[in-house]
Amino acid sequence: MLHSKTRWHSPAADPDTVRDLARSLSISPLLSSLLVTRGLDAPQEALLFMDGGAEDSHDPFLLKGMAEAVPRIRKALQDGEHILVYGDYDADGVSSTALMIYLLRYLGASFDIYIPHRSNEGYGLHNHALDWAVQQGVSLIITVDTGISAVHQIAYAAELGMEVIVTDHHEPPEHLPEAFALINPKLPDCPYPFKGLAGVGVAYKLAEALLDGKVPEEWSEIAAIGTVADLMPLLGENRSLVRRGLSSMRNSPFPGIRALLEVSGITMSTVGAVNIAFGMAPRINASGRLDHAGRAVSLLTTAHPGEAEQLAGELDLLNKERQLVVERIVAEATEKLSKQIGDGEPPDIIVLAEQGWNVGVVGIVASKLLERYYRPVIILDIHPETGMCKGSARSIPGLDIYAALSSCSGLMDHFGGHPAAAGMSLHRDNLNAFAAALNEYAAAVLTPEHLVPVTAADGETEIADLTLQAALELERLAPFGMANPLPKFIVRGAAVKETRKMGQEGKHLKLVLQQGRHTIEAVAFGKGPLAELLPGGTVIDVLAELTVNEWNGSRKPQLMLQDLAVPQSQLFDLRGAADAVKQAVYIKELLQPYSGGAPFRTAAVFQNSRLSPLSQLKGMSLWVYDEEAGISPLPSGQAEASGTISLLCLLDMPETPEQLDALLAAFPQVENIALLHSLRDGRDRLQIPTRDHFKALYKLLAGIAAAPTPEHEVLLRLSRQSPLSVRMLGKMLDVFEELEFIERSGGTISFVSQPSAKSLTASRQFVRLGQIAEMEQYFMEGSLRELEDWMLARRQGVS
């Protein structure tokens, strides 16, 4: 039994509405149900969403501050003023800066750019940068993707004689800076109807205002990158802007974008928003995380293909380095948290800080820990000399991290961000108070339900409905991203027809799923090890995205697995494992993420004679087979069979039916059993005893043991003349002794020439031999299904 990692939530669409919309628009019921569940149940509204239109774009002068900013910039152009574009180091900030470069080049402006170094300077405006700007003769500063919280810095700029126009999209603080103009759709009194613009989206609206709406179409490519990378909702104006950008990108005139697509392994003709999010954006961000974002700005703005190829290659290498750095810090942070909480639960908000944690990647580390613990996470780097901490936060839907930080703003030097992500700086002396204040805030906001991850699905469907035509039709809902995610479907009761690992070192999983006569391939990245837990015939539920797999000119539908569950108890066939203890630990680690949030209890059972180092079975309750009680807890093993056992590992098989029955009775609620026992050599196995076996043995004994003969010699001679194992022959001698066909005395055996007539079935040893042999045959040779059915029958007999 595997529990899903998250709770799947699937809204039910009204079947009549789905049918009517499908008929009205001549679309499939699958696409119609998606539109309905996403609130697009009116035909005209659904058509507008799928096909787009001019209605999505709004007058840039509806943005508060635009009416003041545009004439000021035009005056600067007319007077030949030197302008500074002040950007940010993430992909949105880089895109915003690049877009402003194209705009100011187009307008013939005199300008410089400045992007702070993430590690050395940190987020936002800095006074030393303003000092530098004055020295360069700057009189007007235009911020992009930053500035809305820079109250003191903008006041300092005014003291230096420079005016500042802020273009930003971050949450505005209560006290706003006194800039020449503030352009931010989130300002409380801003009438702009769409509030979800990225920083680059606001910069794009400024370009629209300055160019009377005649913005070169290819600039939408730059806007698309920043919008997708900054996880802005792909609805309304963003959807229209990204769609136009992707269309232009498929034949991009920008050498930098072409080179970035190539190094990311993205096919230009089919580039989509998902490619930006997982291919282009990480490489752009790597520049600001491990080096300086100026390199990424140069890539997006260069006109030279050779320079573009070189810069794209450098960003690709930086991204690979970034991945290694992230892996190291995640391991260190996880270990640090484990030491803090021991066997307890993590705090409502996890706050971890350490020297040497590259400030450029702490946001990624926070995301990975959030995924593991499903708690808001803050990861900070501590400067070894100054003691200043710079960090990033990532949060869950139930907690607005910006609001949480605002509640303890006095403990920080600076902070800013969104409900889901934020950045901050503070001194290490305030760390304990900071963590305590945040958790006090969280305690009043979070409920237990908030801490259970939920994945929104778009509906439950059958494999028969997941056709190639349906997959192609779903593209009408693209581009996919925030607020318009790739559709996810729940398929229940699918049988695994084929299982295999794929990719380097078997890292990924490929399944063929079947329902009735319909099959579909399913791929799960990073889940290759689960192949051992999903043998053919396993019935599973899956949460998956429907995609098109193109290979060698052929196209077919394919599921990309996001999560899965096996609703029934499982028997894992690992019989003959070279190292049963090691394999038990491995299976435990594989299953633990699929415990469904319930306590993950494991147990191991073995023979008393086992010599393996049981110390490796840390955290498992340990049990041994017992001749009298059947099964007994090991005193030092913290044996506990109460409650549901997630995994029961049989390191050795039981020797008797009584031991098996005791085992089944001791663990009445077990979700999974792993068979890890060794396999006896065929010549050492027992056979179901028959009357013919005993007839043949009786004749042999008459000749071998007519006079008292040492038992070991009898067994040796019998084994030479009989196909039965010595072990089997020994147990048959026990039957003959009970029936008084032989006599044992002083280690010798004597054949009784004229015994009393007795039926074999009257022998308790004969019946017991049959039971033990049957059990051994199932455990050694039976198929998984045969053994499972037999054990179920015995369990029912036990209960």
Side-chain angles (χ1 to χ4, degrees):
M1 177 179 287
L2 302 180
H3 296 273
S4 58
K5 285 189 172 182
T6 68
R7 191 172 71 240
W8 306 341
H9 173 69
S10 175
D14 178 64
D16 293 334
T17 307
V18 170
R19 185 182 61 252
D20 292 345
L21 186 64
R23 286 176 179 171
S24 176
L25 300 180
S26 298
I27 58 177
S28 70
L30 187 68
L31 179 57
S32 179
S33 68
L34 278 167
L35 289 165
V36 171
T37 56
R38 295 188 180 195
L40 301 165
D41 51 5
Q44 278 305 114
E45 187 183 13
L47 269 181
L48 181 63
F49 184 83
M50 290 190 290
D51 300 334
E55 297 88 344
D56 289 333
S57 186
H58 307 291
D59 182 351
F61 285 96
L62 288 175
L63 282 161
K64 178 180 168 59
M66 191 68 80
E68 293 76 29
V70 169
R72 176 65 185 89
I73 295 171
R74 285 181 174 153
K75 179 180 182 300
L77 296 169
Q78 182 179 335
D79 296 346
E81 294 181 53
H82 196 50
I83 300 171
L84 177 68
V85 177
Y86 197 112
D88 187 27
Y89 38 66
D90 68 0
D92 187 16
V94 165
S95 303
S96 304
T97 304
L99 186 64
M100 288 303 296
I101 289 173
Y102 281 113
L103 174 63
L104 294 178
R105 280 179 186 171
Y106 188 89
L107 295 171
S110 169
F111 69 94
D112 264 321
I113 69 166
Y114 191 96
I115 297 179
H117 191 285
R118 185 191 288 258
S119 300
N120 299 338
E121 297 173 276
Y123 177 81
L125 272 68
H126 299 282
N127 286 353
H128 65 264
L130 301 175
D131 291 334
W132 172 84
V134 168
Q135 294 170 7
Q136 305 307 308
V138 170
S139 56
L140 176 65
I141 299 173
I142 303 174
T143 74
V144 287
D145 194 34
T146 189
I148 198 64
S149 300
V151 175
H152 302 298
Q153 292 83 359
I154 290 175
Y156 183 64
E159 291 177 16
L160 297 176
M162 295 181 291
E163 292 180 322
V164 181
I165 294 171
V166 172
T167 74
D168 201 353
H169 74 126
H170 293 95
E171 296 291 334
E174 188 176 343
H175 183 47
L176 296 170
E178 294 183 8
F180 184 88
L182 296 176
I183 304 175
N184 184 335
K186 292 179 181 174
L187 287 169
D189 53 351
C190 178
Y192 198 75
F194 184 69
K195 305 297 182 181
L197 291 172
V200 72
V202 179
Y204 190 88
K205 300 307 292 186
L206 178 59
E208 277 189 347
L210 284 163
L211 300 179
D212 298 322
K214 299 180 177 65
V215 179
E217 186 64 17
E218 61 267 26
W219 291 7
S220 61
E221 298 178 37
I222 308 294
I225 292 172
T227 300
V228 172
D230 216 42
L231 304 181
M232 291 297 102
L234 294 191
L235 301 173
E237 192 163 10
N238 282 348
R239 178 175 172 78
S240 174
L241 190 56
V242 171
R243 178 178 276 179
R244 294 198 333 261
L246 289 169
S247 178
S248 176
M249 200 178 288
R250 287 165 192 147
N251 192 29
S252 178
F254 296 123
I257 287 182
R258 297 174 75 92
L260 189 57
L261 287 169
E262 183 175 354
V263 82
S264 303
I266 299 168
T267 304
M268 279 188 68
S269 60
T270 58
V271 62
V274 174
N275 298 130
I276 292 177
F278 295 101
M280 300 173 76
R283 288 167 172 82
I284 293 173
N285 276 323
S287 177
R289 294 185 191 281
L290 298 186
D291 186 43
H292 192 280
R295 196 182 306 203
V297 172
S298 297
L299 173 66
L300 294 183
T301 56
T302 183
H304 306 292
E307 182 185 12
E309 288 179 15
Q310 179 181 339
L311 288 168
E314 291 172 0
L315 293 193
D316 189 49
L317 288 174
L318 280 173
N319 190 52
K320 289 182 171 67
E321 182 183 345
R322 185 270 306 168
Q323 291 170 333
L324 294 175
V325 172
V326 167
E327 287 178 14
R328 174 183 64 82
I329 300 175
V330 166
E332 292 175 2
T334 303
E335 184 180 1
K336 189 179 184 76
L337 179 62
S338 297
K339 288 180 179 177
Q340 286 181 6
I341 64 176
D343 295 329
E345 288 291 308
D348 288 341
I349 298 182
I350 296 169
V351 180
L352 298 170
E354 191 60 74
Q355 290 183 23
W357 286 357
N358 189 311
V359 72
V361 301
V362 290
I364 302 174
V365 174
S367 295
K368 290 189 176 293
L369 263 68
L370 182 149
E371 184 180 340
R372 176 167 181 169
Y373 296 102
Y374 203 68
R375 300 285 195 281
V377 179
I378 297 176
I379 302 293
L380 303 112
D381 171 60
I382 305 173
H383 193 283
E385 296 174 4
T386 65
M388 286 303 298
C389 306
K390 293 179 182 178
S392 288
R394 297 293 184 270
S395 194
I396 59 178
L399 186 129
D400 181 334
I401 195 64
Y402 183 82
L405 292 171
S406 299
S407 72
C408 57
S409 58
L411 295 170
M412 293 173 286
D413 288 35
H414 176 84
F415 75 99
H418 311 294
M424 75 295 297
S425 61
L426 67 154
H427 196 272
R428 70 184 307 163
D429 292 345
N430 290 336
L431 279 174
N432 290 338
F434 178 63
L438 285 173
N439 276 282
E440 183 179 349
Y441 176 89
V445 173
L446 292 174
T447 65
E449 289 73 25
H450 287 135
L451 301 178
V452 177
V454 176
T455 300
D458 291 277
E460 297 196 17
T461 189
E462 302 288 322
I463 290 177
D465 298 323
L466 301 175
T467 63
L468 176 61
Q469 184 57 39
L472 294 171
E473 199 177 35
L474 293 182
E475 282 300 311
R476 296 188 69 182
L477 301 181
F480 298 111
M482 293 299 290
N484 183 44
L486 272 163
K488 293 182 178 66
F489 301 101
I490 299 170
V491 179
R492 298 192 187 277
V496 175
K497 187 178 179 184
E498 295 176 25
T499 305
R500 69 180 177 90
K501 297 179 182 180
M502 65 178 196
Q504 192 173 15
E505 299 177 354
K507 190 175 182 181
H508 311 302
L509 176 69
K510 188 168 188 178
L511 303 173
V512 176
L513 303 179
Q514 183 170 19
Q515 278 182 331
R517 59 187 179 87
H518 299 282
T519 62
I520 192 169
E521 290 184 353
V523 172
F525 290 115
K527 292 185 171 64
L530 284 183
E532 299 174 51
L533 308 183
L534 299 170
T538 305
V539 177
I540 68 174
D541 301 334
V542 300
L543 176 73
E545 296 167 353
L546 179 62
T547 63
V548 176
N549 179 27
E550 299 195 30
W551 181 253
N552 284 341
S554 68
R555 298 193 297 178
K556 57 184 177 181
Q558 177 178 269
L559 293 179
M560 302 301 293
L561 295 188
Q562 305 300 306
D563 199 1
L564 57 85
V566 178
Q568 302 299 324
S569 298
Q570 288 178 273
L571 199 60
F572 302 129
D573 189 359
L574 302 163
R575 290 175 286 187
D579 187 333
V581 171
K582 185 177 180 180
Q583 194 72 14
V585 174
Y586 175 67
I587 293 296
K588 175 185 174 184
E589 291 173 352
L590 272 185
L591 281 174
Q592 194 152 6
Y594 294 89
S595 61
F600 188 73
R601 297 190 178 96
T602 55
V605 188
F606 43 88
Q607 294 295 342
N608 227 338
S609 57
R610 172 165 283 276
L611 301 175
S612 300
L614 300 174
S615 59
Q616 296 178 34
L617 301 174
K618 185 179 179 182
M620 286 190 174
S621 62
L622 305 180
W623 298 69
V624 293
Y625 295 112
D626 186 293
E627 285 189 14
E628 296 180 6
I631 181 174
S632 302
L634 202 65
S636 59
Q638 299 178 342
E640 183 181 326
S642 61
T644 299
I645 296 294
S646 306
L647 174 64
L648 175 62
C649 295
L650 303 190
L651 305 184
D652 300 306
M653 67 168 281
E655 294 288 350
T656 65
E658 291 80 9
Q659 288 181 355
L660 175 61
D661 292 342
L663 173 74
L664 296 174
F667 300 98
Q669 296 177 316
V670 59
E671 294 184 343
N672 300 293
I673 298 176
L675 303 173
L676 298 155
H677 58 272
S678 59
L679 294 175
R680 284 195 174 100
D681 182 85
R683 281 191 53 80
D684 194 37
R685 293 181 186 173
L686 300 180
Q687 295 183 29
I688 304 293
T690 65
R691 194 173 298 278
D692 288 340
H693 286 142
F694 281 90
K695 276 185 180 179
L697 182 62
Y698 189 85
K699 289 179 180 177
L700 290 173
L701 280 172
I704 294 171
T709 307
E711 184 166 343
H712 69 273
E713 185 179 328
V714 171
L715 285 171
L716 181 62
R717 291 176 65 183
L718 285 174
S719 68
R720 288 172 179 167
Q721 299 177 52
S722 167
L724 301 177
S725 69
V726 172
R727 183 163 158 260
M728 179 74 178
L729 292 168
K731 292 188 177 296
M732 291 174 72
L733 291 178
D734 293 339
V735 175
F736 278 165
E737 181 184 24
E738 182 185 358
L739 296 175
E740 298 179 341
F741 292 173
I742 62 172
E743 290 180 354
R744 278 174 165 148
S745 176
T748 65
I749 290 180
S750 301
F751 180 72
V752 177
S753 57
Q754 292 183 328
S756 302
K758 293 179 183 176
S759 170
L760 277 173
T761 55
S763 166
R764 186 179 61 83
Q765 294 283 3
F766 175 80
V767 174
R768 183 171 177 75
L769 175 58
Q771 292 173 339
I772 295 174
E774 179 189 40
M775 181 186 74
E776 184 171 298
Q777 194 170 70
Y778 276 110
F779 270 89
M780 292 290 172
E781 302 171 13
S783 70
L784 207 57
R785 176 56 59 85
E786 290 170 340
L787 178 55
E788 201 166 10
D789 291 345
W790 183 76
M791 287 179 69
L792 178 63
R794 288 203 71 88
R795 180 186 290 279
Q796 291 171 343
V798 168
S799 60

